[in-house]
Amino acid sequence: MKSIELIVYGAEVLCPSCVNLPSSKETYEWLEAAVSRKFPNQPFTITYVDIYNPPSDDGNKKQFAERVIEEDLFYPVVVIENEIVGEGNPKLKTIYSEMEKFGYHAVEI
């Protein structure tokens, strides 16, 4: 199985439409814990990208961070293999379903 990368694009400041939701960083940490529990011992990476300070050495992440700002996407935006799978308040069920398409097998908790 190929290890996939989940990327959480967000910012320190909450998006205007996401006032009562967790911060992007909190969502990233929550997602990392939830995915690790659901797919134990299965390789994946999860990366947090600050949309206002993206990594300068990764053109794809920098370009997508700019897109989040330009298109006023609700962040955090969760991306798996170049597909947006969650925006604003990402749903675990949708993220799990996308990972299963790549051969991940859920372990019931």
Side-chain angles (χ1 to χ4, degrees):
M1 170 183 13
K2 170 187 174 217
S3 175
I4 63 169
E5 181 180 27
L6 288 86
I7 307 170
V8 179
Y9 291 89
E12 291 295 317
V13 180
L14 292 177
C15 82
S17 302
C18 308
V19 174
N20 294 321
L21 298 175
S23 72
S24 298
K25 200 76 159 168
E26 288 168 332
T27 299
Y28 159 76
E29 291 165 354
W30 163 77
L31 195 56
E32 183 174 37
V35 171
S36 295
R37 277 195 309 274
K38 189 74 168 179
F39 303 105
N41 305 316
Q42 297 173 65
F44 71 90
T45 56
I46 182 163
T47 307
Y48 177 77
V49 175
D50 185 319
I51 59 174
Y52 296 108
N53 190 21
S56 55
D57 62 341
D58 188 327
N60 291 338
K61 287 184 176 96
K62 190 173 187 322
Q63 193 173 22
F64 193 86
E66 290 166 0
R67 180 180 159 198
V68 172
I69 296 167
E70 287 168 10
E71 295 181 16
D72 282 331
L73 299 176
F74 294 127
Y75 50 84
V77 177
V78 180
V79 176
I80 296 177
E81 299 297 307
N82 301 315
E83 285 293 318
I84 295 175
V85 295
E87 215 184 312
N89 187 14
K91 304 287 181 252
L92 281 176
K93 191 172 182 181
T94 306
I95 292 165
Y96 293 161
S97 171
E98 189 66 23
M99 290 184 73
E100 286 167 354
K101 290 179 189 173
F102 290 95
Y104 287 78
H105 297 286
V107 174
E108 291 309 315
I109 301 166

